[in-house]
Amino acid sequence: YYGGNCKPSDCYHNNLCELNSLTNNWREVINSTPDNVPMKKIYCGMISFKINGKNNLLVFGGYGPVPVTTHSHSQYILHPNNPNRCITNEAHMMCVTTSPGQWIVPVITGTRPPPCYGFTMHTLHNDEGVMFG
């Protein structure tokens, strides 16, 4: 899972955890660099896929506190009821096979979906993904 928030203190997270379904063991995936880290958020979409036989995760969109560092290819729309929160269309990838991992901002061509949250993503054919909602 990625991110999340805690109530009632309204804090947000940007950590990534992985469950090994063979051993039922959770581990936090450590990021090797502070660069390109996704914003702290909730309600983002995630899909997994393989590149060159290695497991990767794509995290897209979400809702959370306005980030200090933004990415030039992403949009951040202030929430109309809370100007300290925003909706984004950030996209980040991490290879979770290697340890430690490293977040990257992938080059995405075509028309990127607008900032959104609370949608569903699904992997198709291990190299394509679809969004609903």
Side-chain angles (χ1 to χ4, degrees), residues 40-55:
K40 295 179 179 186
K41 58 184 155 185
I42 56 176
Y43 308 130
C44 57
M46 293 177 281
I47 56 173
S48 62
F49 54 94
K50 288 189 183 239
I51 298 177
N52 298 325
K54 295 184 177 181
N55 296 323

Side-chain angles (χ1 to χ4, degrees), residues 14 31-38 69 71 92 101-103:
N14 64 349
N31 183 33
S32 65
T33 174
D35 299 332
N36 297 326
V37 175
T69 303
H71 302 286
H92 289 81
Q102 182 175 0
W103 286 111

Side-chain angles (χ1 to χ4, degrees), residues 56-116:
N56 287 268
L57 179 71
L58 174 77
V59 176
F60 181 83
Y63 169 86
V66 175
V68 175
T69 303
T70 59
H71 302 286
S72 61
H73 298 337
S74 301
Q75 296 172 304
Y76 304 85
I77 297 175
L78 294 180
H79 193 277
N81 298 328
N82 187 343
N84 296 320
R85 302 289 180 259
C86 69
I87 304 163
T88 187
N89 65 351
E90 279 187 342
H92 289 81
M93 284 179 33
M94 180 184 278
C95 177
V96 294
T97 302
T98 59
S99 184
Q102 182 175 0
W103 286 111
I104 62 166
V105 178
V107 175
I108 298 175
T109 59
T111 304
R112 186 185 288 227
C116 53

Side-chain angles (χ1 to χ4, degrees), residues 1-15 40-43 63-65 85:
Y1 72 89
Y2 174 81
N5 78 327
C6 47
K7 297 287 184 183
S9 62
D10 198 34
C11 62
Y12 290 77
H13 303 280
N14 64 349
N15 56 333
K40 295 179 179 186
K41 58 184 155 185
I42 56 176
Y43 308 130
Y63 169 86
R85 302 289 180 259

